[in-house]
Amino acid sequence: MDFPSESEIAAAGAKLQRLRAELNSVLFGQERLIEGVLTGLLARGHLLLEGLPGLGKTELVKALARAIGLESKRIQFTPDLLPGDVTGSPIFQENAENNRREFVFQPGPLFANLVLADEINRASPKTQSALLEAMQERRVTVMGESHWLPDPFFVVATQNPIELEGTYPLPEAQLDRFLFKLDVPRAGAGVLERIVIGREMGVEPTVSQVLTREELSDLAALARRIYMPPVVANYIARLVDATHPGCSSATQKVKFGASPRAALGLAAAARGRALLEGRLNASFEDVAAVAPPVLGHRIILDYSARLVGETSAGVVERLLAEVPFQSLETPGMLTSV
């Protein structure tokens, strides 16, 4: 593989810093969330943002689209939304060339570079599942005919906490398609003061375009070239394997662990974070940093875990403390470069 040079990393870092600064000027006090979103973009993964209404989830996605110049569309998920409302559907209309009436596919809002699936867990499971093929294969199939989605293609979904009325839990198979699940915390008093002073109800903040669609694709391609040391790959494999029942003391109340897709996601996210931090290789620390948002929503707990207040996030935290960076069978220690 052609690994990136220091000059390429430095040039990419300057572009990413401009993008990060632009997003921080829109969403105050959410630097960690913005870092997670940018890491997910570099890894070409789909993102799930969870938080109470009004915390800025939708505003962040809209600002991201404008800052990169991506074609974006928003889908407001509601209980009466149908799968065809998301993917598009064939319309019976007259063909001007042969004067015959025939079915012509009309693309739905899913055909965009950046799709905001707003409050995704308010739609029925049938409509939620309409995203499965699109998120994995980057295409949709309607009446036996496949239609490719634009490149790049990202789904950024927002969901309300499951305790809120009128929400449906996302199926495990769909959760697995999201690279990250990121929690959106509430703002403190200092951030709220900045919002009150610098924002006006009903007026969107000004966002400047700092990157192009082509530059984003180049940055994602550069992230894939980041060196993955064998010892770090071994750590990823052991960490994902440890999520399964009986493989570690932390998973006593785990029903199902993470899939091989999670291991690939960890590797891609670790490379993305390394590029965001301006380094030539992925490190153990990169893997540990991205493990909670990659693994947390993929670990399924059994019923007894709920009785004692166990959470998937708690399981991941204990796994990170329990699984050592270096395996006894793997010589050569590498923490970071």
Side-chain angles (χ1 to χ4, degrees):
M1 179 183 289
D2 179 24
F3 300 117
S5 64
E6 291 186 2
S7 60
E8 288 180 298
I9 296 295
K15 294 178 181 179
L16 290 169
Q17 183 57 38
R18 292 200 304 269
L19 180 57
R20 195 198 304 234
E22 192 67 26
L23 296 178
N24 281 325
S25 70
V26 174
L27 199 65
F28 300 147
Q30 297 285 10
E31 290 82 4
R32 187 173 180 181
L33 171 63
I34 290 172
E35 179 182 332
V37 170
L38 295 182
T39 301
L41 286 182
L42 293 174
R44 293 180 64 88
H46 306 295
L47 309 175
L48 179 62
L49 310 181
E50 180 175 280
L52 293 170
L55 295 181
K57 303 184 295 295
T58 303
E59 202 60 50
L60 172 61
V61 177
K62 290 160 59 178
L64 182 64
R66 292 197 293 268
I68 306 177
L70 298 176
E71 179 188 5
S72 65
K73 293 184 180 178
R74 175 181 177 180
I75 308 172
Q76 182 64 51
F77 280 71
T78 56
D80 60 347
L81 192 71
L82 299 176
D85 298 329
V86 177
T87 62
S89 57
I91 303 297
F92 198 59
Q93 63 184 32
E94 184 174 342
N95 189 325
E97 295 181 358
N98 54 24
N99 294 324
R100 297 178 57 182
R101 297 183 67 84
E102 56 188 25
F103 283 103
V104 178
F105 178 72
Q106 298 294 324
L110 205 57
F111 285 78
N113 298 122
L114 182 62
V115 176
L116 171 58
D118 216 359
E119 297 186 306
I120 188 174
N121 59 336
R122 290 199 182 278
S124 67
K126 182 177 181 179
T127 301
Q128 292 174 4
S129 65
L131 290 172
L132 284 176
E133 182 186 17
M135 295 174 66
Q136 182 62 28
E137 307 293 339
R138 286 177 163 78
R139 68 182 181 186
V140 297
T141 301
V142 178
M143 294 183 66
E145 184 178 357
S146 294
H147 306 272
W148 291 98
L149 295 165
D151 183 40
F153 172 73
F154 299 99
V155 173
V156 180
T158 69
Q159 74 169 6
N160 298 315
I162 198 63
E163 294 81 8
L164 293 187
E165 186 177 354
T167 58
Y168 300 84
L170 294 179
E172 290 80 1
Q174 184 164 348
L175 282 173
D176 197 36
R177 264 65 176 186
F178 286 103
L179 173 65
F180 281 172
K181 179 185 175 186
L182 300 169
D183 292 325
V184 183
R186 69 175 184 84
V191 175
L192 288 174
E193 182 180 358
R194 291 182 62 190
I195 294 174
V196 171
I197 294 174
R199 292 287 187 267
E200 186 177 346
M201 182 72 75
V203 179
E204 293 189 355
T206 302
V207 180
S208 301
Q209 181 176 344
V210 295
L211 286 181
T212 65
R213 184 185 315 175
E214 292 73 21
E215 286 177 316
L216 175 62
S217 296
D218 291 342
L219 289 171
L222 183 63
R224 290 197 296 273
R225 293 167 51 204
I226 293 289
Y227 178 57
M228 174 64 67
V231 288
V232 178
N234 176 264
Y235 175 57
I236 291 174
R238 290 184 290 108
L239 188 61
V240 173
D241 182 67
T243 64
H244 292 269
C247 293
S248 65
S249 61
T251 56
Q252 296 178 356
K253 297 185 183 302
V254 171
K255 188 176 182 180
F256 300 109
S259 67
R261 187 181 287 118
L264 293 174
L266 268 178
R271 285 188 169 104
R273 185 178 186 272
L275 177 58
L276 196 62
E277 295 293 319
R279 286 183 283 101
L280 295 169
N281 72 277
S283 68
F284 294 122
E285 288 78 8
D286 290 322
V287 177
V290 299
V294 171
L295 298 179
H297 60 290
R298 291 179 162 100
I299 295 176
I300 310 302
L301 302 180
D302 61 24
Y303 181 77
S304 64
R306 304 176 188 176
L307 300 178
V308 296
E310 180 69 277
T311 64
S312 297
V315 172
V316 175
E317 184 178 350
R318 291 198 300 276
L319 283 172
L320 291 173
E322 179 179 325
V323 179
F325 284 162
Q326 184 181 19
S327 170
L328 297 178
E329 293 82 16
T330 306
M333 184 68 171
L334 174 65
T335 55
S336 63
V337 174

